[in-house]
Every structure is written in C-alpha cells, then in structure tokens.
Amino acid sequence: MPDKLSFAKTFHALEKAISIAQQRNSYITSNISNIDTPGYKPKDIDFKSELASALETNRTVDLEKTDPRHISLENNGRQIVEPYEEEREWNGYNWVNIDKEMTKLSENNLIYRSAVEVLLRKISLLKEVIKEGGQ
Amino acid sequence: MNFLKSLETSASGLYAERKRMDIIASNLSNIETTRTEEGGPYRRKMVVMSTKEMDQGFDDVFNNSLKGVQIEDVVEDKTPFKKVYNPGHPDADKNGYVLKPNVDLVVETTNMLMARRAFEANIAAIKATREMVMKALEIGR
C-alpha cells in the first residue's frame, strides 16, 4: 500500500478487517454445517487479536524474491489466520453449540458490513476531495 | 474466493440434512412394513455424518482446517423388533405374535425436527454470507 495516498492507513486497516471477517465467516459456516457430525470440534478465529497482529506485523504470504528488482506484495498478500479449537461443553454428540454459532454468525456479519460501510464512506470522502479540488 | 467456500460448506450441510430427512421419511413410511426383500420386517436406518474436506485450491494450503459435512454411511439400527400379538395377521408366528419394525414414531419425529432446524441453520448461514457478498459488491460503486 503506497504511504503517500491519503487514508492509506485507514484503508489498510479496513482491508485487513474485511479479510479477517470473511475468513471467520467460513469457519463459522463450517461449524454450522457440522452441527450433526459426531465428535466434531468447532474452530474459530479471534477477530480482535488477528486484526491487531495483522496491523502490527507482516504475517502475510509474500512472493519469493531472488532478485532485488522483483516486485513484492508489500503486505497486501493473503492474511494468514490461525484458527483455534474452541473450548465448549460436550453436548453428548459433539462440541458444537448452535446458539453460539448463530450469534457469532450475525455478529461477524455486522462487523463485516460495518467495515465495508466505513470503507465506502472513506472512498466517497476521497471522491469529494478530488471533485472539489478540481474545480 | 473464500465466500464461495463458505457457500459450498453450507451447501454440503443442506445436502446432508436433506439426505437425513429422506432416511427419516423412509423409516416413517415403513413403520408398519413386515415384509422386505431381505426377509423379515423393515429395519430402521440411520445416517452417520462425517467431516468432508472441501476441494483444495492454492490458497487453501493455509486454511485446510475448513471442513464441510457429508453422509459417510447409512447404517441399520440393531435394536430388536417389536413383538405385537395379532393372531389374524398373515405374518404371525405359531404363538400369534407379529414382528413389527423397530421404528419409533417419537424418535423419528424428534430427529425430523433436528434435521429441519439444522437445515434452517445452514440456510441462515447462506443468507449471512450472501449479505456479506452483496455488501462487498458495493465497494467501488
């Protein structure tokens, strides 16, 4: 992400938040589909700590460089998340708690949509600046 | 794309629950069946579900812990048949007892409810994913 671009930091943070929320969604849907699988252990990712570490470090996939002129993804590669197995009560069949999963599903949905909404507003601000500055 | 994977996972859940519903329907319709091809009354069937590896793409190397669901096997319930005294029945033994299928109406109805709720949970997951995709499409508009 070029540093000189306005809002670069915000864009970067939002991008990471969206990416993590998207991946969390696939873990939650996976847990929901395995609601009747005997002995299944639900997996989840911690949105907060994943986002914090994504903003701190470059824990992303990057292209291998064998020559200094090779291009780099510059922290725009895919975010690696670390799923953990949740500590849940054994319900006699598996460890899936459907109420918790559904709550997480809608919570994560809201986080994702708010992040996209903020991104949209940032873009429209940027558009406004370009439009007004050009007059 | 990760969203497609989410949808695929939910779809595998829908498919498994629908198959489970098929088996329950088969059990319920055969609740009085005393003659089968294998001989003897109908045996109650059950599904066994297991996790299913979703198709592995390049970027799945990093999150291969994502699992869908599949019906691993359909097994027969080994509980003994019910014995009902009905001397007029053509399948009655010499003491007048008829062997009836080991299908319990209450058990089947409960399982049916659970399959339905699980199906609905998967539908809700698909709706949530869909909302997210629709929202993402607004970026750059």
Side-chain angles (χ1 to χ4, degrees):
Chain A
M1 180 69 63
D3 288 331
K4 279 165 192 155
L5 185 71
S6 7
F7 305 137
K9 250 189 179 161
T10 325
F11 275 147
H12 180 66
L14 285 171
E15 186 194 316
K16 292 292 171 207
I18 289 170
S19 164
I20 293 167
Q22 185 192 9
Q23 288 179 69
R24 189 168 182 227
N25 181 66
S26 35
Y27 281 103
I28 300 169
T29 50
S30 172
N31 292 345
I32 291 174
S33 71
N34 279 296
I35 178 176
D36 283 320
T37 308
Y40 177 80
K41 283 181 183 163
K43 291 182 196 74
D44 195 7
I45 50 180
D46 187 354
F47 183 84
K48 255 187 190 169
S49 64
E50 289 292 342
L51 184 61
S53 70
L55 296 177
E56 264 172 25
T57 55
N58 284 8
R59 219 155 46 85
T60 52
V61 190
D62 204 352
L63 301 175
E64 185 70 41
K65 275 181 281 188
T66 50
D67 187 295
R69 286 169 298 175
H70 282 173
I71 54 161
S72 150
L73 288 173
E74 285 179 18
N75 204 11
N76 281 329
R78 192 191 174 89
Q79 188 68 34
I80 303 175
V81 291
E82 279 171 7
Y84 64 93
E85 281 182 355
E86 288 175 286
E87 299 270 326
R88 285 281 165 78
E89 270 177 42
W90 171 253
N91 63 13
Y93 203 56
N94 56 28
W95 280 271
V96 184
N97 182 335
I98 191 64
D99 309 314
K100 289 244 172 77
E101 297 299 332
M102 297 314 278
T103 318
K104 270 176 5 191
L105 183 74
S106 57
E107 179 203 357
N108 189 58
N109 190 10
L110 276 179
I111 291 175
Y112 183 91
R113 296 207 299 170
S114 347
V116 174
E117 191 60 44
V118 175
L119 187 63
L120 286 179
R121 291 188 191 185
K122 280 280 166 193
I123 292 173
S124 72
L125 268 177
L126 200 56
K127 266 187 191 163
E128 191 68 20
V129 169
I130 294 167
K131 207 171 76 187
E132 294 297 320
Q135 276 176 356
Chain B
M1 194 177 140
N2 221 316
F3 275 132
L4 293 179
K5 192 117 300 180
S6 300
L7 288 174
E8 236 173 76
T9 313
S10 295
S12 76
L14 289 180
Y15 181 75
E17 295 302 336
R18 202 161 49 80
K19 280 280 163 210
R20 187 180 172 203
M21 205 65 146
D22 286 353
I23 297 295
I24 296 169
S26 156
N27 287 342
L28 279 176
S29 62
N30 283 299
I31 197 163
E32 291 289 329
T33 307
T34 52
R35 291 174 192 179
T36 53
E37 283 174 16
E38 304 88 50
Y42 174 85
R43 261 198 191 279
R44 174 175 176 258
K45 288 178 180 56
M46 294 183 292
V47 293
V48 180
M49 294 193 181
S50 68
T51 53
K52 173 190 173 193
E53 297 283 340
M54 303 311 284
D55 288 339
Q56 295 272 303
F58 172 70
D59 55 345
D60 298 324
V61 178
F62 310 115
N63 52 8
N64 53 4
S65 49
L66 272 179
K67 299 243 175 23
V69 70
Q70 66 186 357
I71 299 230
E72 175 136 310
D73 203 2
V74 180
V75 293
E76 287 190 333
D77 190 345
K78 294 291 178 210
T79 52
F81 294 122
K82 279 180 274 186
K83 254 184 168 180
V84 179
Y85 184 68
N86 187 359
H89 197 283
D91 292 325
D93 61 10
K94 58 181 189 298
N95 297 323
Y97 284 100
V98 183
L99 286 177
K100 286 278 177 74
N102 52 354
V103 180
D104 189 337
L105 187 62
V106 180
V107 172
E108 296 305 320
T109 316
T110 317
N111 281 338
M112 196 163 69
L113 266 177
M114 279 165 71
R116 201 167 117 190
R117 295 290 171 241
F119 192 88
E120 284 170 5
N122 280 301
I123 291 278
I126 288 178
K127 275 186 182 157
T129 310
R130 190 179 163 275
E131 272 176 25
M132 286 163 80
V133 177
M134 294 315 281
K135 193 71 196 169
L137 284 177
E138 286 177 26
I139 301 175
R141 186 172 285 176

